[in-house]
Amino acid sequence: MNGPHNGPHVAVVGAGIVGAACALYLARAGARVTVVDRADGPGRGVTAASFGWVGLLAGLDEQDDDAFARRLEAVAEWRRLIEVMGSALPARRVGAIAWGDEAPAAGKLAENPRLRAAGIALIARAEIAAREPALRHPPPHAALAADEWAVETEAAAQMLLRAAAEAGARLLPGVEAVGLARAGGRAIGLDLAGGDLAGGDLAGGDRLAADHVLLAAGTGTGAFLGDHMPAGAIRGSDAVMLRFTGAGAAARFRGIVCGPEFEARTAGDGTILCADLPGPGRESVPAIAAETAAALRRALHGAEALHPAASARVARPWTADGAPVLGPVPGLAGASLAVLHPGVILAPWAARLLAASILEKAAVPAGLRADRRSLDPRP
């Protein structure tokens, strides 16, 4: 339910899925919200090159207890958001299966009571083949998470901002925020460059006045902070997103499939999306695309003519200790941070926490605050 718009004016930097979710939650809680993004529309940056896997199985072997607890809360928040927005949100419950060279590890995961309670189970070849008939050679076993979602990320950011606009928020596309406007140790708005700067909150044509500034600019966030954060606390982690076309109808994935050679799903437009990571000997995006295309042709029925159609290499926002950075900027009143990975999964959860922090002065958990010791990468 939308609140009255008599709350503080919050300027959000970044119209990716994190900024869009924050704008929606803030606007529905009664804030006046302005979203600034240098791109000409929502979700055009890292969000557009995101795989869109929302669930518990993604990166499960890399999560400690705290990260898993965040993921549980985040997936629950996604479900609530999907219930509220319904078919307006481009999200499909498709399920996910995963296997790898360490197949016994998948079995141990499936036997863990905590994970079993979260809906993750071990399935055998026959069930894998039934769930994913496109696979030529289903593995003997795989971990299954039936309640996983595929989100078309750019469209989702657009939908969230559209809903935020219906709740009173506004978007300034093509407007670059170049710095925080400050006075007396407090953020009082944003210094801007370019775009259509007309508007009642703009002073002198190049400054957006605001009661609070929320930085959701991914790896660009650090440029606004100066000495308010340790150098290197926010950095980029490269990822590659690949899109393939030309496969026959038989080559369609029904859900999300994560094997040793690819992490893939069929997008809403029928293309095949794959997420990958560059590394030693795998720095070239065209080479990674060719390698993945060959793996998909081997793995799928009807994929003989499959070929790369698009690719992108992006820097995902990462922190020195791997956990999100949410809430107040140390030593600078009126400014907050939203730096998190995986952004698509955590966005609505982070938006709820940040709306409460900004509008209700609710405390952010200590392990997520920007002043925690583990963010400083210096010895």
Side-chain angles (χ1 to χ4, degrees):
M1 187 171 181
N2 299 343
H5 296 97
N6 54 5
H9 179 205
V10 182
V12 179
V13 181
I17 198 162
V18 174
C22 289
L24 175 60
Y25 280 66
L26 286 162
R28 286 186 170 176
R32 294 184 299 120
V33 179
T34 302
V35 182
V36 176
D37 197 291
R38 63 186 179 184
D40 58 1
R44 301 289 172 84
V46 174
T47 292
S50 298
F51 186 58
W53 180 357
V54 172
L56 298 171
L57 192 54
L60 188 59
D61 57 340
E62 302 168 0
Q63 299 173 43
D64 59 20
D65 288 344
D66 289 341
F68 184 77
R70 285 194 295 272
R71 187 72 63 88
L72 279 173
E73 293 177 9
V75 171
E77 189 62 36
W78 258 107
R79 293 188 187 118
R80 285 190 287 268
L81 184 61
I82 290 167
E83 287 177 5
V84 170
M85 296 193 69
S87 60
L89 197 60
R92 296 173 291 124
R93 182 179 180 272
V94 296
I97 60 172
W99 73 96
D101 297 332
E102 62 289 347
K108 290 177 183 178
L109 290 174
E111 293 164 6
N112 184 307
R114 182 184 71 176
L115 303 183
R116 192 165 61 247
I120 297 172
L122 186 67
I123 59 174
R125 179 177 281 129
E127 186 173 352
I128 297 167
R131 293 187 66 88
E132 294 292 347
L135 291 174
R136 291 180 187 271
H137 307 291
H141 297 92
L144 165 68
D147 196 18
E148 309 271 290
W149 296 76
V151 177
E152 308 307 329
T153 53
E154 185 175 354
Q158 294 167 0
M159 294 288 186
L160 291 172
L161 270 175
R162 191 172 304 150
E166 292 171 357
R170 63 172 175 168
L171 171 65
L172 297 181
V175 175
E176 184 176 7
V178 294
L180 288 169
R182 312 179 192 206
R186 180 179 185 86
I188 59 171
L190 291 168
D191 292 326
L192 306 175
D196 179 7
L197 303 183
D201 295 306
L202 292 161
D206 59 358
R207 177 168 289 181
L208 174 68
D211 301 305
H212 201 98
V213 175
L214 174 59
L215 299 172
T219 56
T221 300
F224 292 88
L225 298 175
D227 59 2
H228 290 283
M229 289 282 286
I234 299 170
R235 55 181 184 258
S237 173
D238 283 356
V240 174
M241 184 59 54
L242 307 168
R243 189 179 295 269
F244 300 91
T245 59
R252 293 179 67 90
F253 292 106
R254 293 183 177 179
I256 296 163
V257 176
C258 186
E261 292 189 295
F262 54 78
E263 180 177 300
R265 68 179 180 90
T266 299
D269 62 2
T271 60
I272 293 177
L273 291 181
C274 289
D276 211 323
L277 299 173
R282 301 183 80 248
E283 294 292 341
S284 164
V285 173
I288 293 172
E291 177 185 298
T292 305
L296 289 169
R297 293 188 203 106
R298 290 192 300 269
L300 300 177
H301 295 291
E304 293 80 6
L306 178 142
H307 59 272
S311 62
R313 181 171 181 158
V314 295
R316 304 167 298 173
W318 213 271
T319 62
D321 62 5
V325 181
L326 303 176
V329 174
L332 185 64
S336 293
L337 296 169
V339 181
L340 51 147
H341 178 79
V344 173
I345 297 175
L346 299 180
W349 163 83
R352 181 174 291 280
L353 283 178
L354 286 162
S357 171
I358 293 169
L359 302 180
E360 303 168 19
K361 307 304 179 188
V364 173
L368 304 177
R369 292 201 295 260
D371 59 358
R372 62 186 188 261
R373 184 180 299 273
S374 58
L375 271 187
D376 191 341
R378 294 171 295 191

